[in-house]
Amino acid sequence: GRSPLFGVALLKSRDGNHGAIVVAMRGGDEDKMPRLPALKKQFEEACGETCAIQIAGLQASNVAGCEVIFEDLVRAEMLALPMTLIALIFVFRGFVPALVPVLIASLPTLCSLGRLSVLSRVRNVSSFAANITTLLAMASRKPQANPC
């Protein structure tokens, strides 16, 4: 088989120790971003142990930024939920009374996430929409007769 590097324009440094590969991809960001890991793997396999592949550019920055933000949000949620429950236990002076606000807030949250899931099947939805939906549903203090 032909190398994936065949016919790709290589930009070399003067000493020949560094180079850059310029790749133009068709489609929008939503098409390009998922293809980056496979593209990097293809170049790494073609290169072997002789070089290190790093992807740069707007799409690569977006992918890296989204990964960092996602990890930070998961870490924040893992800290916030137990700390909130502990605070509620002190405020309501017991475990069972502390669960009541959590259970009341979970119904609109689940309904909102259900709506978001349906919407994501017909429209592109940000990966952070679930976090924002959860925050808004939990923070909502407006009493509702029917939360769904």
Side-chain angles (χ1 to χ4, degrees):
R2 189 187 293 179
S3 168
L5 297 176
F6 180 78
V8 176
L10 295 175
L11 305 172
K12 289 194 269 184
S13 64
R14 287 190 180 125
D15 63 2
N17 291 329
H18 298 87
I21 302 171
V22 179
V23 178
M25 297 170 68
R26 292 183 184 161
D29 286 345
E30 64 275 354
D31 300 322
K32 295 175 188 176
M33 289 172 57
R35 296 191 329 228
L36 288 177
L39 182 65
K40 181 178 180 184
K41 184 177 179 185
Q42 220 176 2
F43 283 122
E44 287 173 341
E45 288 173 356
C47 192
E49 297 292 323
T50 59
C51 60
I53 303 294
Q54 295 178 342
I55 295 186
L58 181 62
Q59 287 78 22
S61 299
N62 286 342
V63 169
C66 285
E67 288 173 358
V68 169
I69 291 170
F70 180 76
E71 290 169 4
D72 289 347
L73 282 172
V74 168
R75 189 176 318 120
E77 288 174 354
M78 296 302 287
L79 288 172
L81 292 175
M83 290 174 62
T84 302
L85 187 58
I86 290 169
L88 287 171
I89 289 171
F90 283 114
V91 169
F92 290 107
R93 297 183 181 145
F95 184 74
V96 174
L99 286 179
V100 172
V102 173
L103 294 175
I104 290 172
S106 65
L107 185 59
T109 303
L110 291 174
C111 290
S112 298
L113 289 174
R115 288 178 185 162
L116 186 62
S117 175
V118 170
L119 180 64
S120 70
R121 295 178 199 278
V122 292
R123 300 279 319 207
N124 285 340
V125 176
S126 169
S127 58
F128 305 111
N131 300 95
I132 294 168
T133 300
T134 303
L135 287 172
L136 290 175
M138 289 273 201
S140 173
R141 293 197 174 138
K142 178 181 164 192
Q144 298 176 352
N146 181 5
C148 291

